[in-house]
Amino acid sequence: MEKFIWAFIVGGGICVVGQILMDVFKLTPAHMTSSLVVVGAVLGGLGLYEPLIKFAGAGASVPISSFGNSLVKGALQEAQKSGIVGVLTGIFEVTSAGISAAIIFAFMAALLARPKG
């Protein structure tokens, strides 16, 4: 039960920080999303995001900041194996399923919703 509470607090905290930054600095949702990805990437690169995931579980692994962490994690793992080329291949290797799902579901939603413009 305690794990669920911490997941809720950490995940909610990430969302609250994003909302406050949008309200105070008048950032657009796209800017905020990009900022959270970059923060997740930086924290992942410094080795701070994985302990947060272990502590908060889904509270840290579901928000968009986890995507930045996944990008850096894949790049670093493949860079150790394949050098500089591994940085590019590692990014796509780890995140390709999520990116593919987003593209497919967005396409299906566009077919169903018949967007204008």
Side-chain angles (χ1 to χ4, degrees), residues 10 14 17 34-53 60 63-73 76:
V10 171
I14 292 170
V17 168
S34 300
S35 298
L36 287 174
V37 169
V38 169
V39 167
V42 170
L43 290 175
L46 295 173
L48 300 174
Y49 207 86
E50 286 300 317
L52 183 64
I53 290 174
I64 193 72
S65 53
S66 181
F67 182 69
N69 176 55
S70 296
L71 290 172
V72 170
K73 184 178 175 182
L76 292 176

Side-chain angles (χ1 to χ4, degrees), residues 6 8 10 13 15 17 20-22 24 29-30 32 34-35 38 64 79 83 96-98 101 108:
W6 282 116
F8 177 77
V10 171
C15 295
V17 168
I20 289 171
L21 290 174
M22 280 178 40
V24 171
M32 194 64 251
S34 300
S35 298
V38 169
I64 193 72
S96 61
M108 289 173 27

